[in-house]
Amino acid sequence: MASLTWIGLLCVALSFYYGECALLLNSYFSDHMVLQRAPQQAVLWGTADTEGDIITAKVTGQGSDSTPVTTKVTQGQWKVKLPAQNAGGPYIVNVHSHDGDVTFSDVLFGDVWLCSGQSNMGVKMNQIINASEEIKTAQSFPQVRFTRVNFTQSDTPQSSVFYNIPWTTPNNRVFEYFSSVCFLFGEYLHPHVNHPIGLVLSYWGGTLVEAWSPPQAIGQCQHRSKRGPRGDSILWNAMINPLLSTTLYGAIWYQGESNSYHYDRYSCQIIAMLKEWRKQFHQQSLQQTSANFPFGYVQLAPNAPGDAVGLFPEERWAQTANYGYSPNPALPNTFMAVTMDLPDYDSPSGSIHPRYKQDVAKRLVLGALNQAYGHSDVIFQGPFPTAINANGDPHELTIEYDHGKTELDVRSNGFEVCCSVLNTTHCDDVLDTWVDAPISRTSGSLVTISTSGCGSRHVVGMRYEWRTSPCDLKLCSLYGKTSGLPAPPYITRSISEHNSAIIG
């Protein structure tokens, strides 16, 4: 009903000027846009006044003269799949009906990625390290194009939204105000895939994951409702629902800071949100967006100097659905950029907004190449513990990484162990104590830590880089020697000092 009301109001407004309601395409579409390449089919949609009228769409240019496709106007709305187009362009897309003609020029076909989240997704190109140089470099990537959804909210699902940056290239003067992570992701990805990249930005600073989640996802997790742009489904209704008919290749997500005060609920909500995003994009795009489209996300960066544990470690863990790595059984076909080693306490935008977005985008691209584009040879994850061994030594633990397959680069120390007087296998954060566990030796994929800080108490847990801001720039404890990627934060509250623990 909401969409029909909107259509009716639009027709009334247009009839005041033109005498009738003309053929309209959704505001998403414009000259210079990127549509999804083959084998998927791009979807066009819009409104028209003549019920039952035939809508005809055709793609021409670059040697392509595809067969026109048609659909009917039903209840003032229409939707049609274009013939699958190979990557490239420019093309011309024409839509015709008895109500008129609409033509778009300089259209490219490539891969379309949605960029969403809160303010770190919105950090602009002119706010990052080496901004002038990055903005200049970007001019040489005219096939990486972008559009941005205007900030808006709604209590009910909307069918259309205003784009305050229509589709454009990095040569446009608005470029320096566009998302740095979003654009750099496209820029770094482009040479690897060698075809156009379309970027759709829909973000709002300081927002909760619940605001971006549809009601079906909200109902799966217990929480307290919020109001304003942090309210349940408020941004889903206004800034995601209007995009659902778009044929997407994938999405990247930079959000979580605002949920850190309720990290215990985040793991449920991100699982539910992603499931519903995938389901509804797939359905509304006439099954052209994959029902399991790739989804990359950014683990929280440091926030403030000092060694306080804070809330961020638990939130980082929750971002992974409590697995510590991605993809995982709860978050399939996902990839994660670890950023806890990228502090920027002097950032003019505040330490919560570090300027090292180039590293964020590069780490996301590695995940995309492996998970979204099938380059299994691309390493996209830092080392992850797969076994903890006591080895019979009462004062040491040896941690194996990646089943012995990854040689480690050790740069500092970031380990702690949990000491318990009462328990022998489980750490209680209230009753027990975490103490430093210095690295005593390393060899290949093994790290041995000293547990002597526990004294006569039982060693019942281990954690790694479990701080809001665990290290200086790129100086966390462990990296892959070949990849240079940081090991993600890790925690286990259940180990025995007398046995081996197989983690994965």
Side-chain angles (χ1 to χ4, degrees):
M1 290 299 292
S3 59
L4 289 178
T5 300
W6 176 84
I7 293 166
L9 290 174
L10 183 59
C11 288
V12 169
L14 288 171
S15 65
F16 180 80
Y17 292 101
Y18 301 111
E20 62 179 89
C21 184
L23 168 70
L24 294 173
L25 274 84
N26 189 274
S27 52
Y28 175 83
F29 303 102
S30 71
D31 294 340
H32 318 300
M33 64 185 169
V34 178
L35 299 178
Q36 182 57 44
R37 66 182 171 97
Q40 295 161 280
Q41 294 175 256
V43 176
L44 304 181
W45 71 98
T47 61
D49 193 36
T50 304
E51 188 69 13
D53 196 9
I54 301 298
I55 306 293
T56 302
K58 187 175 182 180
V59 180
T60 58
Q62 291 294 305
S64 172
D65 191 15
S66 63
T67 303
V69 290
T70 61
T71 189
K72 285 186 177 182
V73 178
T74 304
Q75 293 185 307
Q77 301 180 78
W78 58 268
K79 186 183 294 187
V80 66
K81 291 186 292 187
L82 292 175
Q85 300 290 327
N86 292 329
Y91 293 94
I92 294 173
V93 175
N94 175 261
V95 182
H96 168 79
S97 78
H98 287 99
D99 285 332
D101 282 274
V102 179
T103 299
F104 300 109
S105 61
D106 188 32
V107 176
L108 303 181
F109 283 82
D111 287 337
V112 181
W113 285 82
L114 172 63
C115 307
S116 189
Q118 58 182 111
S119 57
N120 264 302
M121 181 57 83
V123 170
K124 303 175 181 63
M125 287 294 295
N126 62 9
Q127 293 177 303
I128 62 176
I129 293 291
N130 299 323
S132 297
E133 181 179 337
E134 294 290 354
I135 291 171
K136 181 179 179 180
T137 299
Q139 312 304 310
S140 60
F141 289 88
Q143 288 200 329
V144 180
R145 301 183 176 185
F146 56 94
T147 183
R148 190 178 84 180
V149 174
N150 191 43
F151 299 128
T152 184
Q153 51 187 297
S154 175
D155 292 325
T156 57
Q158 299 299 299
S159 62
S160 192
V161 66
F162 176 68
Y163 293 81
N164 58 358
I165 300 180
W167 282 102
T168 188
T169 71
N171 294 307
N172 193 294
R173 62 182 179 82
V174 301
F175 169 65
E176 63 183 278
Y177 303 104
F178 189 72
S179 163
S180 54
V181 167
C182 187
F183 187 84
L184 291 172
F185 174 80
E187 177 185 318
Y188 298 157
L189 181 61
H190 180 267
H192 295 281
V193 298
N194 198 31
H195 57 243
I197 300 293
L199 303 167
V200 182
L201 176 62
S202 183
Y203 85 98
W204 191 316
T207 51
L208 299 165
V209 66
E210 289 86 356
W212 298 98
S213 301
Q216 299 90 328
I218 296 292
Q220 298 177 37
C221 307
Q222 295 181 351
H223 71 286
R224 295 179 180 178
S225 298
K226 304 288 183 181
R227 294 184 178 181
R230 297 164 65 88
D232 295 349
S233 304
I234 203 86
L235 302 182
W236 159 266
N237 289 332
M239 299 178 69
I240 298 295
N241 196 74
L243 303 174
L244 291 181
S245 296
T246 310
T247 306
L248 295 178
Y249 192 84
I252 57 174
W253 174 254
Y254 201 155
Q255 190 275 337
E257 295 92 340
S258 291
N259 282 91
S260 61
Y261 292 98
H262 302 287
Y263 58 78
D264 54 323
R265 297 195 292 264
Y266 193 86
S267 58
C268 175
Q269 199 62 67
I270 192 63
I271 293 169
M273 187 197 84
L274 180 53
K275 283 182 179 178
E276 284 298 324
W277 275 31
R278 284 172 166 169
K279 176 183 177 180
Q280 297 201 38
F281 270 103
H282 179 67
Q283 291 177 344
Q284 294 301 315
S285 67
L286 305 177
Q287 292 76 50
Q288 294 309 297
T289 296
S290 170
N292 192 35
F293 65 77
F295 181 87
Y297 61 96
V298 183
Q299 204 176 43
L300 297 191
N303 179 22
D307 61 357
V309 172
L311 300 173
F312 273 26
E314 295 285 1
E315 177 68 2
R316 291 181 183 120
W317 194 251
Q319 286 180 291
T320 70
N322 300 327
Y323 280 85
Y325 60 89
S326 211
N328 60 58
L331 296 171
N333 203 25
T334 62
F335 50 95
M336 175 178 71
V338 176
T339 63
M340 66 178 180
D341 66 332
L342 302 176
D344 187 10
Y345 307 130
D346 297 322
S347 171
S349 303
S351 62
I352 196 71
H353 301 124
R355 291 168 289 178
Y356 301 105
K357 300 307 185 192
Q358 296 93 329
D359 293 285
V360 178
K362 287 175 182 176
R363 293 173 184 181
L364 283 171
V365 166
L366 293 175
L369 290 174
N370 185 290
Q371 292 292 294
Y373 291 95
H375 294 281
S376 59
D377 58 321
V378 174
I379 300 173
F380 71 105
Q381 297 170 306
F384 193 82
T386 47
I388 301 173
N389 302 298
N391 294 329
D393 190 314
H395 301 298
E396 285 187 340
L397 288 177
T398 296
I399 303 112
E400 175 198 70
Y401 281 81
D402 297 339
H403 301 285
K405 298 176 182 179
T406 298
E407 188 173 4
L408 300 175
D409 175 10
V410 181
R411 302 182 186 180
S412 62
N413 187 77
F415 290 92
E416 296 172 284
V417 289
C418 182
C419 310
S420 179
V421 174
L422 300 176
N423 297 313
T424 59
T425 60
H426 181 74
C427 177
D428 186 311
D429 283 337
V430 176
L431 299 177
D432 300 330
T433 305
W434 290 94
V435 301
D436 288 338
I439 295 174
S440 55
R441 61 184 181 277
T442 62
S443 176
S445 61
L446 303 176
V447 174
T448 299
I449 59 175
S450 170
T451 63
S452 59
C454 282
S456 61
R457 293 172 292 176
H458 301 287
V459 178
V460 292
M462 185 275 286
R463 67 188 187 188
Y464 169 75
E465 301 293 24
W466 206 255
R467 294 286 186 276
T468 290
S469 303
C471 62
D472 291 333
L473 182 64
K474 297 184 181 179
L475 286 176
C476 279
S477 184
L478 300 180
Y479 293 75
K481 197 158 208 176
T482 299
S483 68
L485 293 172
Y490 179 79
I491 190 168
T492 176
R493 295 181 173 90
S494 182
I495 62 173
S496 170
E497 59 194 350
H498 302 298
N499 297 291
S500 298
I502 304 301
I503 299 168

